[in-house]
């Protein structure tokens, strides 16, 4: 089963970093957030990825090639222009295809451009390249297959923007910087789709979060898998800092793999 990751956005609110790289290549703990997302999928046995690149697609392509090179032993014969790579256990056993889907293509257009790349299997997975979670992908997939609709999205609790307080009168009895609040649900990506989803996307200018999801919901073809665990996007410098501190402290809930 293919897993498509949308990685073509500009990341304007992380401009100090994204001026030289796309947002999915912004690092957490010395590795791009894209790597963290892929590593979580690999933990659940999903090892065949298609990366929908756009803005500075060459950075993603170069990193993938360099990562494979630098985690392997090499034999170089400069006079022949030949480089032989020798396998290394340090490199993850995944297959990655990076597809340039255009710098200005919207989210729906990027998904539609994945149609030739996700194979003939009816079911495939999609997520955004700027959010991490400890969502149980096995349970998500089982939920999708059980209900039989075209699309499943992972519904998550929205991240808290400010410190959470509990009061008795004017006295604060509890204060915490919670990463998520316990009210309401939002679209957390980590989608599972059938190929019919492509019929709901007009073209490159389509924003997937608008008309396609609205039409799927209206047609009764969109289901929500409720994830009660950790989820965090990385839209701002503050959110990157949150993820970095969790990683440095050894408390990264999305790290579902062994060292």
């Amino acid at each position: 089963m293919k897993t498509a990751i949308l990685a073509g956005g500009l990341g304007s609110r992380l401009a100090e970093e994204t001026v030289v790289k796309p947002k999915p290549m912004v690092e957490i703990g010395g590795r791009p957030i894209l790597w963290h997302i892929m590593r979580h999928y690999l933990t659940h046995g999903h090892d065949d990825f298609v990366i929908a690149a756009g803005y500075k697609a060459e950075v993603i392509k170069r990193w993938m090639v360099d990562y494979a090179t630098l985690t392997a032993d090499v034999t170089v014969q400069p006079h022949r222009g030949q480089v032989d790579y020798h396998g290394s256990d340090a490199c993850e056993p995944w297959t990655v295809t990076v597809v340039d889907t255009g710098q200005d293509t919207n989210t729906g257009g990027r998904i539609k451009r994945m149609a030739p790349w996700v194979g003939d299997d009816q079911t495939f997975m999609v997520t955004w390249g700027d959010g991490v979670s400890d969502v149980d992908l096995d349970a998500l997939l089982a939920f999708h297959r059980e209900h039989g609709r075209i699309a499943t999205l992972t519904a998550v609790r929205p991240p808290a923007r400010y410190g959470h307080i509990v009061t008795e009168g004017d006295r604060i009895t509890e204060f915490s910087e919670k990463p998520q609040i316990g009210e309401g649900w939002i679209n957390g990506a980590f989608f599972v789709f059938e190929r019919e989803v492509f019929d709901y996307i007009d073209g490159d200018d389509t924003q997937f979060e608008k008309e396609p999801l609205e039409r799927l919901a209206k047609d009764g073809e969109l289901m929500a898998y409720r994830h009660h665990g950790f989820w965090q996007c990385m839209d701002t410098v503050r959110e990157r800092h949150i993820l970095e501190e969790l990683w440095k402290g050894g408390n990264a809930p999305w790290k579902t793999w062994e060292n």
Side-chain angles (χ1 to χ4, degrees), residues 30-46:
R31 297 279 178 89
I33 191 172
L34 177 62
W35 177 88
H36 290 261
I37 297 166
M38 294 170 63
R39 199 64 186 78
H40 176 60
Y41 274 94
L42 185 63
T43 300
H44 290 268
H46 299 278

Side-chain angles (χ1 to χ4, degrees), residues 186-246:
I186 61 172
N187 172 16
F190 292 94
F191 302 98
V192 186
F193 293 142
E194 302 301 312
R195 287 189 64 90
E196 289 86 351
V197 75
F198 297 125
D199 297 333
Y200 285 79
I201 304 169
D202 291 334
D204 283 356
D205 295 332
T206 304
Q207 184 178 353
F208 188 70
E209 303 89 320
K210 295 291 187 181
E211 185 179 350
L213 285 182
E214 291 169 359
R215 287 176 56 205
L216 283 162
K218 183 178 179 180
D219 291 350
E221 294 291 343
L222 180 62
M223 300 290 283
Y225 174 77
R226 297 177 189 269
H227 173 56
H228 296 270
F230 178 84
W231 178 88
Q232 178 64 59
C233 62
M234 189 186 67
D235 284 333
T236 65
V237 173
R238 174 183 176 273
E239 289 164 345
R240 179 192 176 279
H241 179 72
I242 290 171
L243 295 174
E244 184 70 30
E245 290 303 305
L246 286 170

Side-chain angles (χ1 to χ4, degrees), residues 50-66:
V50 183
I51 310 301
Y55 172 69
K56 294 193 178 295
E58 70 279 2
V59 176
I60 299 177
K61 294 177 182 178
R62 189 179 303 118
W63 188 88
M64 290 294 176
V65 172
D66 289 348

Side-chain angles (χ1 to χ4, degrees), residues 40 133-135 179 229-231 243 246-247 250-256:
H40 176 60
S133 176
D134 60 355
V135 59
F230 178 84
W231 178 88
L243 295 174
L246 286 170
W247 184 267
N251 300 312
W254 71 90
K255 186 180 179 298
T256 52

